[in-house]
Amino acid sequence: MSCKRCEEHVLNYIEGRLGEEETRSFEHHLNECEDCREEYMDLQQMMSIFNDEKNHVKPPDNFMRSIKEKIQTSKPTPKPKSKRKILEIFRPVAWVTAILFSFLFIGTAFATNGFSGLFDWWKQHSVNHQQQVDESIAQGVGERLNIEKVSGDVKVTITNVVADDLQTHIYYEIEDLSDQGYYMMDFVDGIEILNTDEYWADPYTSTPLRSHVRLHSDEDFIVKGRLGVSPMGVEEGVISLQLTQLAEVLSDWKESNKMNIAPSEDNERFSGNWTFDIPIQKHPMVVKEMNVDVELDGHKVKFDKITIAPTMTILSYQPRSSGLVEKLIHIQFQGIEAGGRMYERSPILFGNNSSTVGGTIVFSEVAFDSMYLLQPEEIFIHIDGYVVQVQDDKEILFDFEEDYSFEYLGTKTSIEDIHLGNPTTFKMIEEVNSDRQYGSYWFELIYDDDPYKFYSSTIGTNGVIVDAYGQTYEALDYLYRMNELEEPQYFTTESDVTVWSEDETMEVIQPIGIQIIEYQKNKWNNKKIEVDLR
C-alpha cells in the first residue's frame, strides 16, 4: 500500500471499515513507513478524544480545526457513474445522528445563555455519578486516594479511582487556595502520562488518555472532574500523571448557567507542576451470554451478550439486515431494567460502538450505567424504536450558478447562498413538514472533472426535533431532554457545504448536481424484552 492509499484509508481503518486484506496491507505499511505512522497516531488520538467526549465538551477552536484539517486531507475513493464523476462528501446517516447531538451542539451551547435545562441536567448527572462512585468504593469496587499536590496556590487532589478491563476512571478536585478563581484540567495541553510505555502496548497510540468530564460542584473555588484512561495491560500498577497547565474557568459560569465544561481560547491558562503516582487495581468485569433473538417489524436482531463492569454496562447486539434495501442501523433504548431500577444509556459515547462490513452493521455495542453492584440474574431491555437506513438512487442535475430547489420524499430542499470559487460554498436548506419521510440523507456531489482534485466538508448542520403530536423543538434545547418527548424524531434543516481544491490554478469549482445515495428515518416499536442471565 502506497502513502497515498494509506492517507485515503486512514479514517476507514480507525473506524474499522476496512476488509481483512486491506487491513493487513494498511498495518504493514504503518509498520514500514514512519511518516504515515505518525500521521495515523496523531489522527487516532484526536478522533479518540473527539468520539469519547463529544457529548460533554466544547473542544478548543484550534483543536477542532486540527481534526477537520486531518479529515479534509483524506481523499475519498470515488464511485464511477457514466461519464460524470461523483465524490462522497456528506453522510448524515453516519455523522449527523452521532455528531449533531454532540459537537455541533456543544460548539454553541456553552457560549450561550439560557440553557438552564441542560445546566440542571448536568448538576443532577454529577450528583448521581458521585453517589454511584461512593457506593462502589464503599463495597470495595474502587479506591479512595485523596493524593494532594500544591503548586502556586492551586491544590490538585486525586480523590478516587475505579478501574476495570474497559477503562480507568480517575476522579479529581482542583481548589484555588487563594479563593480567587476556578481552574479545570486542560485535556488538550498540559497533561501527560509519563509511563505510557510501561502499561500500554499499542505502538500507534501516543497517549492512553481517552476522555475528560467536568463534574458540577457547589463548593466555592473547587472544580471537580473525571479523567478516562484506557485500561492497563496489567491487573495492578501505578499511573504517573503530570499536569503542567490548568485552564481558568470563566468567572461567571455559576451566575449565567454556562457549564464551561472544557477550556477554549477564552480561558486563561495557569502554569505549574502537579505530578502524581496513582495506584491502580483493576476489578473484574462479568460477561453474560444472552443469545436472544427478537424481531422489530420484520427486522431481525440478536442480542449476544451483556458486559457488566464497575465503570459501565455494555449491551451487544447484531442487526440481521444483510442484503436488504432497508437496513436497521441502530436501536433506540429507553434503558435496561434490573432490580426495580432503570439503568439509562450512558451520555458519554465511549462504549457505544458499531462495526460495519460492506456498509452493513454487523454488531453494535451500547453503553448504560453500571449495574455492577447489583449483578442481576434477570433484566428487561426496554426498546423505544429503531433507525433504518434505506438505499436510494436519485440524481438531481443543476448548474450551481444560482439558487435551486428540488423535491425529495415529500420535502423541499433548497440550494442557497452559492459562492463559486476555490473554495466554493453553499447552504442546503431542508423543509420540515408533515409529509417528510426521512430524517436525513446522504448525498454526493457530481462533477464533470476528476473528483480526486476536490476536497469537501459539511459543517454547521442544524436540525429540529418533532414529537408524536407534531410539536417542533429546537434540537439544541432538547439535547438531554429527549425522554420528555413522545416519539421524538430528528430532522436536518440546514447545512453549510464547502468544496475546494489544492490545485491553485483551479479558480472556480462548479459541481453539476448532487446524487442522493440513501436516507435514514426513525421507526417506533415499544418493546420490553425479558432476559434470564442465570
Side-chain angles (χ1 to χ4, degrees):
M1 180 177 287
S2 65
C3 290
K4 178 181 177 182
R5 294 287 290 171
C6 182
E7 179 185 354
E8 293 169 358
H9 287 305
V10 62
L11 280 177
N12 289 335
Y13 177 79
I14 289 173
E15 295 176 356
R17 293 193 279 119
L18 293 182
E20 290 186 12
E21 184 176 344
E22 287 180 317
T23 296
R24 285 195 298 268
S25 177
F26 184 91
E27 291 175 345
H28 176 75
H29 182 82
L30 286 186
N31 287 328
E32 298 293 327
C33 179
E34 182 177 356
D35 289 341
C36 286
R37 184 163 61 250
E38 290 180 356
E39 183 76 7
Y40 163 76
M41 290 167 61
D42 289 343
L43 183 56
Q44 195 268 352
Q45 178 184 345
M46 285 190 292
M47 291 295 289
S48 176
I49 294 170
F50 180 50
N51 286 327
D52 286 350
E53 287 306 317
K54 56 193 175 188
N55 266 11
H56 280 273
V57 304
K58 173 186 179 297
D61 293 341
N62 59 341
F63 176 68
M64 292 313 305
R65 280 199 301 270
S66 296
I67 290 180
K68 286 187 282 186
E69 288 169 3
K70 294 287 186 182
I71 295 173
Q72 290 166 357
T73 54
S74 295
K75 299 178 182 178
T77 303
K79 301 177 183 179
K81 184 174 180 67
S82 67
K83 294 183 180 181
R84 289 183 294 274
K85 300 297 174 76
I86 56 181
L87 174 65
E88 176 181 342
I89 68 162
F90 182 43
R91 189 173 186 174
V93 170
W95 286 85
V96 170
T97 313
I99 297 178
L100 171 89
F101 296 111
S102 51
F103 161 58
L104 297 176
F105 169 78
I106 298 301
T108 57
F110 300 150
T112 307
N113 291 326
F115 285 87
S116 57
L118 181 57
F119 187 83
D120 291 340
W121 173 90
W122 175 50
K123 291 175 64 176
Q124 188 59 51
H125 171 74
S126 299
V127 170
N128 295 342
H129 193 81
Q130 187 61 55
Q131 289 176 347
Q132 180 178 333
V133 172
D134 291 341
E135 290 174 4
S136 295
I137 291 176
Q139 297 195 32
V141 183
E143 288 70 45
R144 198 175 303 281
L145 301 177
N146 291 324
I147 305 173
E148 300 178 355
K149 300 289 182 179
V150 178
S151 179
D153 286 335
V154 174
K155 180 174 70 174
V156 179
T157 305
I158 303 300
T159 57
N160 308 307
V161 170
V162 181
D164 52 41
D165 282 319
L166 296 177
Q167 57 186 333
T168 297
H169 283 168
I170 300 173
Y171 295 86
Y172 70 85
E173 293 181 0
I174 300 177
E175 180 180 3
D176 182 3
L177 299 177
S178 65
D179 294 344
Q180 295 183 8
Y182 296 83
Y183 295 94
M184 60 182 163
M185 285 193 182
D186 186 341
F187 188 58
V188 178
D189 296 310
I191 183 170
E192 182 181 2
I193 291 181
L194 301 177
N195 58 340
T196 295
D197 295 340
E198 187 174 354
Y199 299 121
W200 292 272
D202 187 351
Y204 304 126
T205 302
S206 59
T207 176
L209 289 168
R210 267 185 174 159
S211 62
H212 170 255
V213 178
R214 181 184 164 201
L215 300 172
H216 182 268
S217 172
D218 282 323
E219 300 176 74
D220 289 336
F221 308 110
I222 291 179
V223 169
K224 297 181 180 181
R226 190 199 72 206
L227 287 175
V229 182
S230 299
M232 299 191 306
V234 296
E235 296 303 308
E236 295 184 25
V238 176
I239 292 178
S240 295
L241 177 70
Q242 183 180 53
L243 307 176
T244 57
Q245 179 174 276
L246 302 175
E248 186 175 12
V249 177
L250 300 180
S251 59
D252 64 344
W253 71 274
K254 283 189 175 182
E255 293 77 11
S256 63
N257 282 358
K258 296 178 182 178
M259 295 191 295
N260 200 193
I261 285 181
S264 68
E265 292 179 350
D266 295 331
N267 299 87
E268 297 292 333
R269 297 317 196 260
F270 181 85
S271 297
N273 191 337
W274 305 264
T275 302
F276 302 88
D277 288 328
I278 306 171
I280 304 295
Q281 179 180 347
K282 290 199 297 188
H283 297 270
M285 60 187 187
V286 177
V287 180
K288 300 278 190 178
E289 300 294 333
M290 296 171 58
N291 296 318
V292 174
D293 293 308
V294 300
E295 191 168 304
L296 301 172
D297 302 324
H299 296 278
K300 296 180 179 180
V301 179
K302 179 179 181 181
F303 288 93
D304 296 308
K305 62 183 179 181
I306 187 168
T307 302
I308 303 173
T311 59
M312 68 169 62
T313 300
I314 294 182
L315 179 65
S316 302
Y317 67 93
Q318 298 180 39
R320 302 293 182 87
S321 299
S322 179
L324 300 178
V325 173
E326 181 179 291
K327 300 177 182 180
L328 184 151
I329 58 174
H330 66 80
I331 297 174
Q332 295 173 318
F333 296 93
Q334 180 185 353
I336 299 177
E337 181 185 352
R341 172 186 167 184
M342 184 69 75
Y343 293 83
E344 298 180 350
R345 280 198 60 173
S346 171
I348 301 174
L349 289 187
F350 171 70
N352 297 271
N353 304 304
S354 296
S355 178
T356 62
V357 174
T360 298
I361 295 176
V362 294
F363 80 87
S364 291
E365 295 180 334
V366 182
F368 296 83
D369 294 338
S370 174
M371 56 180 70
Y372 191 79
L373 298 180
L374 177 64
Q375 292 296 328
E377 296 182 346
E378 181 183 52
I379 62 172
F380 298 90
I381 302 171
H382 290 256
I383 295 175
D384 283 336
Y386 56 95
V387 178
V388 294
Q389 178 177 296
V390 184
Q391 297 177 11
D392 202 358
D393 186 7
K394 182 175 179 63
E395 186 177 81
I396 300 103
L397 299 178
F398 54 97
D399 56 21
F400 266 92
E401 290 184 350
E402 56 186 29
D403 293 355
Y404 183 83
S405 63
F406 60 89
E407 287 270 336
Y408 180 67
L409 295 180
T411 299
K412 177 182 175 182
T413 295
S414 300
I415 309 295
E416 302 177 1
D417 199 18
I418 300 171
H419 296 278
L420 295 176
N422 186 6
T424 285
T425 61
F426 59 91
K427 291 183 179 293
M428 294 190 68
I429 311 295
E430 299 168 72
E431 288 186 346
V432 177
N433 55 49
S434 59
D435 296 325
R436 182 156 167 171
Q437 302 171 42
Y438 68 92
S440 58
Y441 56 72
W442 170 30
F443 69 87
E444 299 173 334
L445 284 179
I446 304 173
Y447 299 94
D448 272 328
D449 208 342
D450 181 0
Y452 279 114
K453 294 181 180 180
F454 308 114
Y455 303 90
S456 56
S457 68
T458 303
I459 61 175
T461 301
N462 294 316
V464 297
I465 297 169
V466 180
D467 66 14
Y469 306 103
Q471 182 68 37
T472 300
Y473 308 86
E474 288 297 323
L476 304 187
D477 294 346
Y478 274 76
L479 173 64
Y480 289 111
R481 301 171 64 184
M482 297 284 280
N483 60 338
E484 299 177 17
L485 307 179
E486 185 173 340
E487 297 185 359
Q489 299 198 60
Y490 167 70
F491 298 102
T492 51
T493 57
E494 180 177 335
S495 303
D496 296 317
V497 182
T498 301
V499 188
W500 74 97
S501 173
E502 293 181 349
D503 183 354
E504 296 181 355
T505 64
M506 184 170 292
E507 297 181 356
V508 176
I509 300 171
Q510 187 166 353
I512 62 172
I514 72 170
Q515 179 159 349
I516 296 174
I517 306 301
E518 58 192 30
Y519 63 91
Q520 76 167 39
K521 61 181 180 180
N522 292 71
K523 291 193 173 184
W524 301 99
N525 185 326
N526 294 322
K527 206 174 189 70
K528 181 179 178 180
I529 304 166
E530 181 179 357
V531 182
D532 189 342
L533 299 178
R534 288 170 290 191

